[in-house]
Amino acid sequence: MIPLLLAAGAAALLLQVPAVQRRPPTVGDTLWLTRALVVPPGRTVRAAEWQLGGGGAGAGAGGNAAGGADTSAVELLGKPQVVVRGDSAFVRYPAVAWRPGRHTLTVPGPLLLAASGDVDSLAPASLTIEVTSVLPAAVPDSQIPLQPPAGIVPRLERSPLPLLVLLGLAAVLLAPIWWWWRRRGRATAVPPAIATPATVPVARWEEAGEYHAIAAAAAGRLRRWIERRVPEAHRGLDTHALLLVLTERRPDWPQAAVGRILRALDEAQFAPAPPTEAARLAADAERLEGRLGELERAREAAEAAEAGPPAAGTAAATTEAA
């Protein structure tokens, strides 16, 4: 393992020769501090953490190695990058120099990771960079003229006039469309109402074999008639609940007959076999409806007779007071 690491370190030092630059970097330029090495077989290269610039520069491994150097002159700009090309790897650190001159830095050694989990690190390497100033070299700093002040940036005028003009144009264009859409057209002819038969066509439905329809129509007609006379006994109730309401509201009705016919019609509607007696049940329901109508008329006449004398007495008392 030791010869392998020595060979990698020697290759790293050999590949650290900087390329010939046309001009040296200036203050504020982005510098890529690169360290190259030959990757041993079965190893993966990872960049080591480097604390450079500010108060952390020179602290621990990876800081500035040059004695007396200004550690705040060079600062890292971000995370390092590892670029692999064949059997070589390049570890690049983005940095920036804030002061001109020569800066000697100590680049930390990359980490070599093995498949077994072992981690080895190369020795740090020294790197010197030359940074030039952006100011003229022949003129002292105190004699360099200041740049003229920039002119005042005019503030844009904000006016609601364009919005008002746009709304006016939209109103002019959309008003005819709105009027055309909302205009009153020809009145739609109402189709004539289809008169529903007052009675169930029992004979015709019986000839067609519609026994269930006869029972359903007869039960519906009887329930509607009861609902008009007793609103509490509406069609949403089942037969048992409807009979309880009729017992309370209309005790003078023949409860036994009403219950017998309603239950027979329910059985005829949902019987598995065709109810051959549907026509007879429809006739019984019609006769029961007539009988209940007579009882209702008699009850109304009795209520009117009972309410008559008090009304006459009240009228006489009013005349005497006048």
Side-chain angles (χ1 to χ4, degrees):
M1 181 63 66
I2 300 298
L4 186 61
L5 295 179
L6 293 178
L13 294 177
L14 291 176
L15 291 175
Q16 282 179 2
V17 178
V20 178
Q21 299 181 355
R22 295 184 179 180
R23 65 174 184 85
T26 59
V27 174
D29 291 346
T30 300
L31 308 176
W32 287 97
L33 308 180
T34 306
R35 178 164 183 180
L37 69 153
V38 175
V39 183
R43 295 281 177 165
T44 303
V45 179
R46 292 289 184 270
E49 183 180 357
W50 190 8
Q51 296 180 356
L52 179 64
N64 262 342
D70 188 359
T71 57
S72 63
V74 182
E75 184 179 353
L76 290 179
L77 295 178
K79 297 182 179 180
Q81 299 179 0
V82 178
V83 180
V84 179
R85 296 176 183 173
D87 60 348
S88 302
F90 301 88
V91 182
R92 309 170 58 196
Y93 295 87
V96 61
W98 300 117
R99 295 184 183 180
R102 296 175 63 85
H103 303 280
T104 301
L105 307 172
T106 301
V107 183
L111 304 178
L112 300 177
L113 281 69
S116 60
D118 297 335
V119 180
D120 295 324
S121 62
L122 300 181
S126 179
L127 177 64
T128 302
I129 57 176
E130 181 75 23
V131 180
T132 60
S133 176
V134 295
L135 301 178
V139 182
D141 297 346
S142 59
Q143 297 181 6
I144 298 177
L146 300 177
Q147 294 291 335
I152 300 176
V153 179
R155 183 178 180 182
L156 298 179
E157 181 181 358
R158 296 183 180 180
S159 174
L161 183 60
L163 179 60
L164 296 178
V165 173
L166 182 61
L167 292 178
L169 293 177
V172 171
L173 294 177
L174 296 178
I177 300 176
W178 177 83
W179 173 83
W180 175 79
W181 184 265
R182 298 288 296 177
R183 76 189 190 282
R184 185 181 297 275
R186 296 180 179 178
T188 305
V190 180
I194 300 176
T196 56
T199 58
V200 179
V202 177
R204 180 161 56 87
W205 287 4
E206 188 176 14
E207 293 178 359
E210 298 293 342
Y211 303 109
H212 294 284
I214 295 173
R221 175 177 174 177
L222 179 58
R223 280 177 170 269
R224 283 193 298 270
W225 189 92
I226 295 175
E227 183 179 5
R228 286 195 298 269
R229 269 65 181 180
V230 185
E232 293 82 0
H234 53 83
R235 286 173 289 176
L237 301 176
D238 58 3
T239 302
H240 179 70
L242 185 141
L243 291 176
L244 292 178
V245 174
L246 292 182
T247 303
E248 180 182 359
R249 298 293 181 179
R250 293 294 186 272
D252 55 332
W253 284 12
Q255 305 294 334
V258 174
R260 178 180 57 80
I261 293 178
L262 286 177
R263 291 191 182 95
L265 289 174
D266 291 342
E267 294 177 0
Q269 292 182 66
F270 307 105
T276 55
E277 297 183 356
R280 183 184 61 79
L281 291 175
D284 293 345
E286 188 173 355
R287 287 193 295 269
L288 176 62
E289 181 179 336
R291 181 181 175 185
L292 296 179
E294 294 177 358
L295 292 176
E296 281 296 295
R297 287 191 291 272
R299 186 180 63 83
E300 292 175 357
E303 291 178 355
E306 293 178 0
T314 304
T318 304
T319 305
E320 293 178 0

